Amino acid sequence: KNEVEQSPQNLTAQEGEFITINCSYSVGISALHWLQQHPGGGIVSLFMLSSGKKKHGRLIATINIQEKHSSLHITASHPRDSAVYICAGFHNTDKLIFGTGTRLQVFP
Amino acid sequence: DARVTQTPRHKVTEMGQEVTMRCQPILGHNTVFWYRQTMMQGLELLAYFRNRAPLDDSGMPKDRFSAEMPDATLATLKIQPSEPRDSAVYFCASGLGAPGYFGPGTRLLVL
């Protein structure tokens, strides 16, 4: 059983839509890392969080420790948001365990 | 604008050859990570170092892979001998504890 599970695997949206990507994790994961991988392959760190909520521009990440669940939201989505979004859990503080990723396509 | 650099960016080699990938972490970062990404497995942790000491290399096939940090500005990942199943993108990441910054990756193709 994967320690970090994401849903959905694939997501399509029209420009302007509100998007939510979900991540569930198992015991032993102390914090979560949301990553974005562009079509060219580069990986960008979006958020690291162990509690509450973080916001950066149109991106919002939340985490519920009791339910072992995190969400990544994108408001007013844009075609340039098209990418693979990866949730990764910190196991033993600094070792990352990756989810399988959510492929997002936003159409104009 | 500090960033993690990796060389080479692309490598094509024949089965059996030695492959060396290099990573320059961001100056001041004390942890360095090596990851491998394939279509089938996604991203996997191969090894990581803290203050140049190897902490975990359990994700690495030890008969052919080796990871070292000869100094604080250089991390290397070697495969000897390489096999077609090693074809993947290899990412290096560095951080202060957690891997906050990823390099652009080395795309390896073993024929």
Side-chain angles (χ1 to χ4, degrees):
Chain A
K1 180 185 183 301
N2 266 350
E3 294 184 62
V4 176
E5 294 190 348
Q6 281 185 245
S7 64
Q9 283 192 313
N10 295 284
L11 187 54
T12 58
Q14 289 294 126
E15 184 172 356
E17 284 185 8
F18 181 84
I19 287 161
T20 296
I21 300 169
N22 296 300
C23 178
S24 297
Y25 57 94
S26 62
V27 173
I29 301 293
S30 57
L32 278 187
H33 198 160
W34 282 99
L35 304 165
Q36 179 192 54
Q37 187 166 28
H38 295 287
I43 297 177
V44 175
S45 171
L46 297 176
F47 298 104
M48 281 190 259
L49 68 169
S50 56
S51 65
K53 174 178 167 177
K54 287 190 177 181
K55 184 176 190 293
H56 182 72
R58 296 180 295 105
L59 301 178
I60 303 166
T62 63
I63 189 168
N64 183 319
I65 297 167
Q66 286 74 27
E67 296 189 4
K68 297 185 181 51
H69 180 268
S70 176
S71 293
L72 177 69
H73 306 285
I74 305 175
T75 61
S77 59
H78 190 277
R80 65 174 175 265
D81 298 325
S82 299
V84 176
Y85 292 84
I86 302 168
C87 168
F90 287 103
H91 193 267
N92 296 332
T93 305
D94 50 15
K95 180 176 173 177
L96 272 182
I97 298 172
F98 294 92
T100 52
T102 295
R103 185 175 299 276
L104 170 66
Q105 286 188 290
V106 182
F107 294 100
Chain B
D1 184 22
R3 60 184 68 189
V4 177
T5 58
Q6 288 186 246
T7 57
R9 294 292 308 276
H10 299 89
K11 175 76 176 178
V12 180
T13 191
E14 292 186 342
M15 184 172 67
Q17 296 297 305
E18 177 178 302
V19 175
T20 298
M21 291 170 270
R22 293 177 175 81
C23 168
Q24 183 173 7
I26 292 172
L27 194 64
H29 282 183
N30 65 345
T31 50
V32 175
F33 301 77
W34 282 106
Y35 298 98
R36 175 172 62 184
Q37 186 176 38
T38 62
M39 289 292 291
M40 295 299 293
Q41 301 292 333
L43 274 161
E44 306 171 277
L45 175 68
L46 295 175
Y48 75 101
F49 297 79
R50 182 180 296 139
N51 298 323
R52 295 178 54 203
L55 285 193
D56 187 341
D57 60 2
S58 58
M60 213 162 62
K62 295 195 188 45
D63 56 336
R64 299 183 300 108
F65 284 60
S66 62
E68 294 180 347
M69 274 202 79
D71 62 60
T73 64
L74 177 64
T76 62
L77 180 67
K78 288 186 183 177
I79 308 174
Q80 169 64 22
S82 57
E83 297 181 3
R85 60 181 166 150
D86 301 328
S87 298
V89 181
Y90 292 81
F91 288 99
C92 174
S94 73
L96 294 169
Y101 295 84
F102 283 75
T106 293
R107 189 175 294 274
L108 174 65
L109 177 61
V110 183
L111 303 173

